[in-house]
Amino acid sequence: MLYAEKFETMPDETKIYHRVYNSRSKRTPIICLPGITQNSKSFHHFATRRAQEFDDKVICIDMCGRGRSDYSEDVHRYDLMREVGDILHVMIMVEDIDTAHFVGTSRGAMQSCIIAGMRPDKVDSVVLNDFGCRIHMHVLEKITCLFDEKISSLCHFDDALKLIYQMDNGATQNLTPQEEEDIVYSKYKVVDEKYVCDYDREGIGQAYRSNLEVLKSLNPDYADFTALMTNIQKIPTLLLQGVNSTLLTDEIVKDTLAMLEHCTHAVIKDRGHVPLLTEKDTIVALDKFLPKPD
């Protein structure tokens, strides 16, 4: 087995699942935080490669309502700060980690920045996977398609893959058959021979739409994450940008880089939102950024 599987009961009795790759490593670990509908499976190839080639310890967490973690009947449990609390609990109380490198995809990048603000002593570096200082409201509105009923249960692999491409609007291109299989595998689970969303589509969707209305009331044009960038202003940061991403545009990249004192920027070709962390461009950027063994 390439990783150990752990379930930890949070103070509110919610069980949170996480994987630990290469648990014996003495190097500063890497903590991987997924996007809003992703889970630990999305980091499997990244975590395996880092563990095998660099002797890294890599921890990948399923947020509440995703993957193998508990779903919640209370949609308030899908709050960003509640998720940050789960992450810190796993990091400090379960894995006894003093400090770590954080690799965050989209929502996971937001969580990484929040942790850097709350506990800067716990954050050595941050990888922001397609997330910057603001997101245009029309992009946030489009994300609601991830919670449509039509995607909840599909009969065939090809149906799931086709729908993923449709929702991506052609932003992600030139995937290999293995990458296509990995994307479907990371977003769906097979139940009774059907492909079912591997996240609480209804509950997370309800929470997301509610939060979106709050953001709209503050600014109808975009959500401002300047404060999160301030949290990581002095922390070594790698900003990964899918070249076709509508969430992280060139303009937003420029403004984000202006806020960060120690930030490296890498553009990933043939990708939208988000890079998969398996692309050659991504691997080169990550391996140059993350520390190598002594």
Side-chain angles (χ1 to χ4, degrees):
M1 191 107 177
L2 294 173
Y3 52 86
E5 299 184 297
K6 299 185 180 183
F7 289 89
E8 180 65 20
T9 302
M10 297 295 114
D12 66 353
E13 300 302 319
T14 301
K15 287 187 173 60
I16 297 297
Y17 167 87
H18 69 283
R19 296 177 174 184
V20 183
Y21 294 75
N22 196 23
S23 60
R24 296 180 180 179
S25 173
K26 302 301 182 184
R27 286 166 47 77
T28 300
I30 299 171
I31 297 179
C32 296
L33 305 178
I36 189 168
T37 60
Q38 292 182 330
N39 55 62
S40 55
K41 293 183 292 185
S42 300
F43 293 102
H44 177 65
H45 290 291
F46 165 79
T48 300
R49 190 180 62 81
R50 291 296 309 188
Q52 292 178 343
E53 296 183 17
F54 296 90
D55 192 34
D56 282 325
K57 177 179 181 178
V58 186
I59 297 169
C60 307
I61 305 174
D62 286 359
M63 297 298 110
C64 177
R66 290 83 162 179
R68 299 183 65 187
S69 288
D70 281 351
Y71 287 17
S72 177
E73 294 182 1
D74 177 11
V75 298
H76 295 98
R77 188 60 176 80
Y78 299 128
D79 176 75
L80 195 62
M81 294 306 297
R82 297 283 292 274
E83 294 169 359
V84 166
D86 292 340
I87 295 163
L88 288 172
H89 186 96
V90 169
M91 179 182 183
I92 299 169
M93 304 302 294
V94 181
E95 297 299 333
D96 192 26
I97 294 172
D98 290 328
T99 185
H101 306 285
F102 284 80
V103 177
T105 294
S106 196
R107 187 178 180 89
M110 296 174 64
Q111 293 162 346
S112 301
C113 294
I114 292 171
I115 291 170
M118 294 173 61
R119 294 296 306 267
D121 59 307
K122 296 294 183 184
V123 182
D124 267 20
S125 70
V126 174
V127 176
L128 304 178
N129 188 13
D130 219 63
F131 173 77
C133 64
R134 64 180 175 274
I135 304 176
H136 291 295
M137 201 58 64
H138 69 87
V139 177
L140 290 172
E141 289 176 339
K142 181 184 174 184
I143 291 174
T144 60
C145 72
L146 296 172
F147 311 110
D148 290 347
E149 185 176 358
K150 67 179 181 179
I151 72 171
S152 62
S153 180
L154 301 167
C155 294
H156 304 289
F157 173 90
D158 289 344
D159 296 330
L161 181 61
K162 181 179 179 181
L163 191 56
I164 289 170
Y165 273 125
Q166 287 175 347
M167 291 190 294
D168 194 55
N169 279 337
T172 298
Q173 302 164 357
N174 297 322
L175 292 176
T176 66
Q178 182 62 58
E179 287 172 331
E180 291 180 334
E181 182 177 328
D182 291 341
I183 287 179
V184 173
Y185 170 70
S186 68
K187 291 182 177 292
Y188 288 87
K189 56 186 176 183
V190 179
V191 179
D192 296 331
E193 298 183 352
K194 288 189 176 182
Y195 286 80
V196 180
C197 288
D198 205 5
Y199 55 92
D200 183 359
R201 181 185 59 81
E202 293 186 13
I204 297 172
Q206 184 179 340
Y208 181 84
R209 292 186 178 96
S210 177
N211 289 333
L212 185 59
E213 291 306 312
V214 173
L215 291 173
K216 283 182 180 179
S217 70
L218 297 174
N219 187 325
D221 297 322
Y222 61 86
D224 188 348
F225 298 111
T226 300
L228 296 186
M229 298 300 109
T230 301
N231 290 347
I232 61 170
Q233 183 178 18
K234 299 183 182 299
I235 296 175
T237 303
L238 171 63
L239 179 61
L240 299 175
Q241 176 195 13
V243 68
N244 300 320
S245 176
T246 57
L247 188 144
L248 186 61
T249 63
D250 290 341
E251 178 187 10
I252 296 172
V253 167
K254 180 180 178 181
D255 292 343
T256 301
L257 293 176
M259 297 179 192
L260 305 177
E261 294 183 10
H262 309 287
C263 186
T264 303
H265 172 224
V267 179
I268 313 305
K269 65 181 180 181
D270 292 336
R271 293 295 177 266
H273 182 74
V274 290
L276 306 177
L277 306 186
T278 57
E279 305 87 357
K280 182 178 179 180
D281 293 340
T282 312
I283 290 171
V284 169
L286 287 166
D287 290 356
K288 185 176 181 180
F289 175 76
L290 293 169
K292 296 178 175 61
D294 296 331

